[in-house]
Amino acid sequence: MGRPHQTLLSRTAIARAALDLIDDRGYEALTMRALADRLGVRGASLYHHIGSKDDVLDLVSELLDAEIDHTPLRSAPWREGIAAYARGYRRVFRRHPNAIALIARRGVHTEGALSEYDTLLATLIRAGCTPALAAETAAALDFLVIGSALETYAAGFTRPPSEYRPDYPALADSLEAAARVDPAPTALDDRGFELGLRMILGGLAHQLETAPGA
């Protein structure tokens, strides 16, 4: 008879199972018991590889950071590189929207996240930002990316535009016009993100170009 099947545990396997659990059932569903059940092991087995739930959350954060492509920050002109990075950052959290709560509730202390922010800030400083302006721009990009991944603007309006028209004519006109540009369900959200990104980077470029001594 063959040996009974037994899940092979590792820190990576635990992290992937935890992220899958968050994707499937939400951040609040991640408990050590639920994670052990998902892996098909006893809870005590997890503690041979991790120290606590906080340890698991750090590992999940590292997985998410690893999915974000930082290459454009190092290999492209600053404006194009930051735009490509921000789009990739958003795509990761569009794939894992339930993980946004994990990022929002925890401090930035994993190696991957710290390295990511350092690379972004270094790119902004090389572009001509003061360290303070670089920090403000990085914060603005975070707000744009996380907010646009967390919330859908278009899906918040659950009625056809015509039903809004008697009381909210500007809203109806705007929703109808947006649908004429592209009726796809996510099109308005995507265009809104791109507009916000252009405004941040365009405004920053203008500020750098017109700064004294530029």
Side-chain angles (χ1 to χ4, degrees):
M1 294 177 62
R3 293 182 178 180
H5 173 73
Q6 195 171 31
T7 301
L8 295 177
L9 287 183
S10 67
R11 288 171 66 84
T12 299
I14 291 169
R16 293 195 181 283
L19 181 55
D20 288 344
L21 183 59
I22 291 170
D23 286 343
D24 292 345
R25 296 171 52 193
Y27 174 78
E28 299 296 343
L30 179 59
T31 65
M32 298 303 284
R33 181 172 181 175
L35 181 56
D37 288 345
R38 193 172 193 93
L39 288 162
V41 301
R42 294 181 181 274
S45 300
L46 296 177
Y47 292 100
H48 293 299
H49 302 274
I50 51 94
S52 65
K53 182 177 177 181
D54 278 344
D55 196 9
V56 174
L57 295 176
D58 284 346
L59 292 173
V60 172
S61 294
E62 289 172 357
L63 278 185
L64 294 169
D65 291 330
E67 288 191 33
I68 300 170
D69 184 8
H70 307 106
T71 305
L73 294 175
R74 303 183 183 92
S75 61
W78 74 265
R79 190 166 174 176
E80 291 83 353
I82 291 173
Y85 158 77
R87 293 182 187 113
Y89 185 1
R90 180 173 181 252
R91 282 194 296 272
V92 168
F93 284 100
R94 291 292 293 270
R95 289 196 295 270
H96 305 288
N98 290 338
I100 292 173
L102 167 62
I103 300 303
R105 295 178 186 182
R106 292 176 62 76
V108 180
H109 56 264
T110 63
E111 183 64 30
L114 291 169
S115 177
E116 172 189 335
Y117 281 110
D118 188 70
T119 301
L120 173 60
L121 292 164
T123 301
L124 288 164
I125 291 168
R126 284 197 304 273
C129 292
T130 64
L133 180 57
E136 292 164 7
T137 305
L141 289 166
D142 249 20
F143 298 148
L144 175 66
V145 169
I146 297 297
S148 68
L150 178 64
E151 181 183 18
T152 169
Y153 178 86
F157 301 101
T158 57
R159 290 183 274 163
S162 59
E163 293 187 16
Y164 292 112
R165 185 167 302 286
D167 297 314
Y168 313 106
L171 174 62
D173 287 346
S174 297
L175 293 175
E176 287 178 347
R180 285 195 294 271
V181 174
D182 189 336
T186 64
L188 179 56
D189 293 337
D190 292 340
R191 294 202 309 276
F193 169 78
E194 290 293 333
L195 175 60
L197 188 57
R198 288 196 303 274
M199 291 174 71
I200 290 172
L201 297 179
L204 178 62
H206 177 73
Q207 187 169 345
L208 295 176
E209 290 165 2
T210 58

